[in-house]
Amino acid sequence: MADTASRPRLRDSVIVQADGGTLLFLCLADRTVKRFTCDEFVKAVVVLLDGTRTIEEIGALTCGGAAGAGARVAEVVQILEHERLLSRVAAPEPEFRLLGVARAEFYDRQLRLFQDFCDEGWARETSGAALQRRLAGSTAVICGIGGLGGWVALALAAAGVGRLRVCDFDRVEVSNLTRQVLFRMDDLGTPKVDAAAVRLRELNPFIEVEAVERRIGCAEDLAGVVKGADLVVNAADQPTPNDVAGWVSEACWPDIPHIMGTGYAYHIGVLGTSIIPGLTACWSCVRAETFADHGRDGMETLVGKRDKAGAMGALSGLVGNILAWEAIRILAGLPPALGDRWSEVDFWPLEIRSRPVPRRPGCPTCGG
Ligand SMILES: [Zn+2]
């Protein structure tokens, strides 16, 4: 039985419509529709579920204080709660303001989304403000701040990840500007990390940005870069994508979740995989599953990959923002979507294709 002192509130993402003896709950968050048969009493109760009244008070309003009114209201509330149609907080705005008025205003729409994640039961926390605090308290490292990393950094800065560390050795060139969203004509010739840090701080004054100008040549080069990170997104591809990915994974294992294997060329965007130590397959298992494709392992290369693959901002931005969404999920303590699978987006049919990448039995890294 629902607590009669509670102040039940319908989720903000729920629309309720009535058609005679049927109530229809349209859940905008996932486009599901729930139908219930109802009477006039239930309809009267539903419109009062705005978090300002206790169950007893709603009973008094709908039944004029008749005996057992509170119990009948509690019964309706319990069904709605079971169907996840109620919010887990009676009044979200006061919770949001606990972040401080300036932050509550800055993050307003995002807090409402986070609140809905909590109401859906995806988070341990009950309040969207708690998820925002988790982001604010977290550190994300982005290796490579080009066509993917730039979009990831932009989205994580906007979302309020408290400390962003961006690592790159490159300088801004004119051919970067069609897809590397952090840079402008005025930045040509400056280190990418410096230009990126300026832009990210301009976007969100509530976060810290650390620029690390460094060329990565081995896992040891990354020890200081990943130190203290809650998540590393590898978007670097120099000297080769596989080399740098191996070093990043080595530097992160077994303490730091890392998003790996990302890239894009022509109309394929590679989302790669999320590696969560203790939870998902490790990078060696992922490589073992994907490297031998087409039986080309060990073949002699006659014509290799060109230095400059075709690319454009609209497409690299799509990949980067999907990766940022995955990063936010991991940092906010929500379930990741890209673990234990390898995913690519084909932008022509506009499809995401995934294949499983299981842990290898007896893998010395993750098989325990
Ligand atoms: Zn493994």
Side-chain angles (χ1 to χ4, degrees):
M1 183 68 70
D3 173 10
T4 51
S6 69
R7 296 176 186 271
R9 189 174 70 89
L10 280 172
R11 284 168 66 171
D12 289 330
S13 58
V14 170
I15 288 174
V16 189
Q17 292 184 302
D19 179 14
T22 302
L23 268 189
L24 183 147
F25 292 80
L26 174 63
C27 308
L28 298 177
D30 61 2
R31 287 285 190 259
T32 55
V33 174
K34 294 175 178 174
R35 283 173 209 275
F36 301 91
T37 52
C38 70
D39 55 18
E40 292 306 313
F41 166 74
V42 174
K43 284 187 203 173
V45 169
V46 164
V47 296
L48 296 174
L49 300 175
D50 62 3
T52 63
R53 303 171 186 87
T54 66
I55 285 174
E56 288 294 346
E57 287 165 351
I58 294 170
L61 283 169
T62 49
C63 293
R72 288 187 64 200
V73 175
E75 220 173 293
V76 174
V77 165
Q78 192 173 19
I79 291 168
L80 298 177
E81 205 166 31
H82 179 74
E83 294 291 335
R84 292 203 303 271
L85 293 166
L86 296 184
S87 178
R88 293 168 77 187
V89 296
E93 278 87 359
E95 300 258 357
F96 298 166
R97 284 197 295 273
L98 294 176
L99 298 167
V101 172
R103 284 176 174 79
E105 281 179 4
F106 188 89
Y107 296 121
D108 182 72
R109 294 292 289 270
Q110 180 170 296
L111 286 165
R112 293 171 196 281
L113 180 68
F114 283 173
Q115 185 60 54
D116 205 68
F117 294 165
C118 294
D119 293 343
E120 184 62 39
W122 287 337
R124 278 194 300 274
E125 291 84 351
T126 55
S127 162
L131 295 194
Q132 192 65 53
R133 271 193 290 273
R134 282 184 79 130
L135 286 190
S138 64
T139 300
V141 172
I142 299 152
C143 291
I145 203 79
L148 283 186
W151 293 93
V152 175
L154 189 72
L156 296 192
V161 174
R163 279 171 304 281
L164 286 177
R165 194 176 300 143
V166 293
C167 177
D168 204 305
F169 67 91
D170 226 349
R171 287 172 183 260
V172 180
E173 296 173 25
V174 71
S175 68
N176 300 150
L177 301 184
T178 53
R179 67 194 182 287
Q180 301 193 15
V181 69
L182 296 176
F183 311 131
R184 311 276 182 270
M185 278 291 181
D186 286 348
D187 299 322
L188 295 183
T190 54
K192 285 186 178 179
V193 289
D194 292 341
V198 168
R199 208 84 346 108
L200 297 169
R201 289 182 192 120
E202 280 170 1
L203 170 61
N204 188 342
F206 302 115
I207 63 166
E208 292 169 26
V209 184
E210 200 182 324
V212 181
E213 191 181 0
R214 183 172 305 179
R215 188 185 288 272
I216 304 302
C218 60
E220 287 71 38
D221 291 345
L222 284 157
V225 177
V226 305
K227 193 166 187 281
D230 298 292
L231 175 74
V232 174
V233 180
N234 181 36
D237 59 1
Q238 298 287 329
T240 74
N242 287 335
D243 285 338
V244 73
W247 299 328
V248 168
S249 194
E250 193 183 329
C252 290
W253 193 270
D255 301 316
I256 306 169
H258 39 299
I259 298 176
M260 298 289 292
T262 67
Y264 59 92
Y266 304 98
H267 62 87
I268 299 292
V270 187
L271 302 173
T273 188
S274 291
I275 295 178
I276 318 287
L279 196 69
T280 68
C282 71
W283 182 239
S284 303
C285 286
V286 173
R287 290 288 292 143
E289 176 66 27
T290 57
F291 191 67
D293 286 357
H294 317 297
R296 65 198 183 102
D297 199 359
M299 279 188 183
E300 180 192 2
T301 301
L302 299 181
V303 179
K305 192 178 162 192
R306 312 299 187 276
D307 282 345
K308 294 179 178 176
M312 70 186 290
L315 301 185
S316 66
L318 282 168
V319 182
N321 280 298
I322 294 173
L323 298 175
W325 165 230
E326 175 76 350
I328 289 165
R329 290 168 70 135
I330 293 170
L331 292 169
L334 302 168
L338 295 176
D340 283 328
R341 60 181 175 130
W342 182 267
S343 303
E344 298 183 349
V345 197
D346 186 332
F347 292 117
W348 198 247
L350 212 46
E351 285 173 359
I352 294 181
R353 296 191 283 254
S354 289
R355 58 198 274 196
V357 281
R359 300 190 205 191
R360 290 169 299 171
C363 167
T365 308
C366 71

